[in-house]
Amino acid sequence: MALPPKFKGHRILLTDTSAPTPAGGPEPAHTLEIYLDYVCPYSAKLFNTLHTQLLPALTSRPGAPLQAPLQILFRHQVQPWHPTSTLTHEAGLAVLRLAPTRFYDFSAALFKAQRDFFDVNVVNETRNATYRRLAKIAAESAGVEEDEVYKLLAVPDVPAEDGSLNVGNAVTNDLKTVIKMARLVGIHVSPTVLFDGLVVNEISSGWSVEQWVVWLKKNAV
């Protein structure tokens, strides 16, 4: 599935500079799409392996395993049985709007702090109070202004001018878009990985970086 330009911060492009470039232009990239939920422990495990181990392994020299260009796409998988899934992904979209190049930094920080947003730790606070905590993480990890993030997230406590009450916030439409994108390709749970448009059921959150490297050497050619 295509990546809308406003979501460009979801994309990491990796290339092997030693690979030959066809006369017609740059070689098309393979696409690895990773559907993650910020409050899913298995998503956190997969993201951490990707972010702290696999990416360095793919970009190290000499002997990097990447034989063809590869783009990695972060895909939001909002899951309603995790009530704060919506709120945390809204925070990710707010950071994406304010500082797209720092989206992965924020995601790493949020996955690290994900237990703070599990059910038991949010049940007694208001929605806007949860947003405030998320905005603080964004400021500390992505270099954005806390108040600017909160402004995109906060839900007003008064009706809109037309009297409507389900007013959402400034990133509601972006959230609708990423949810529709996941539904269009039939994603049901997190984490789910697609390679060149097809679900790869064999990839697990428990994979080591070595397993990832072996798989990419075989498939990303």
Side-chain angles (χ1 to χ4, degrees), residues 55-105:
L55 287 178
L58 293 179
T59 55
S60 63
R61 292 291 187 273
L66 201 59
Q67 301 178 52
L70 174 71
Q71 61 175 349
I72 299 174
L73 303 180
F74 183 109
R75 300 292 198 186
H76 298 264
Q77 178 63 10
V78 179
Q79 301 185 124
W81 50 88
H82 295 151
T84 56
S85 183
T86 293
L87 281 62
T88 53
H89 284 279
E90 286 176 325
L93 292 166
V95 171
L96 187 69
R97 184 179 298 187
L98 295 171
T101 62
R102 302 298 302 276
F103 171 77
Y104 277 83
D105 294 328

Side-chain angles (χ1 to χ4, degrees), residues 16 21 35 46 95 172 179 187:
D16 183 351
T21 301
Y35 286 81
L46 192 153
V95 171
T172 294
I179 290 175
I187 304 301

Side-chain angles (χ1 to χ4, degrees), residues 113-133:
Q114 71 168 192
R115 291 176 62 88
D116 294 339
F117 299 94
F118 285 177
D119 293 355
V120 172
N121 292 322
V122 298
V123 66
N124 289 320
E125 72 180 3
T126 66
R127 179 175 173 181
N128 280 344
T130 303
Y131 284 145
R132 179 58 78 178
R133 290 200 289 128

Side-chain angles (χ1 to χ4, degrees), residues 2 8 15 27 35 52 71 77 90 119 123 129 149 161 188 220:
K8 63 183 179 180
T15 61
E27 183 178 350
Y35 286 81
T52 64
Q71 61 175 349
Q77 178 63 10
E90 286 176 325
D119 293 355
V123 66
V149 177
E161 292 182 1
H188 298 290

Side-chain angles (χ1 to χ4, degrees), residues 15 20 22 36 44 49 51 74 106-107 119 122 151 156:
T15 61
L36 302 171
T49 300
H51 190 256
F74 183 109
F106 169 75
S107 295
D119 293 355
V122 298
K151 188 184 301 183

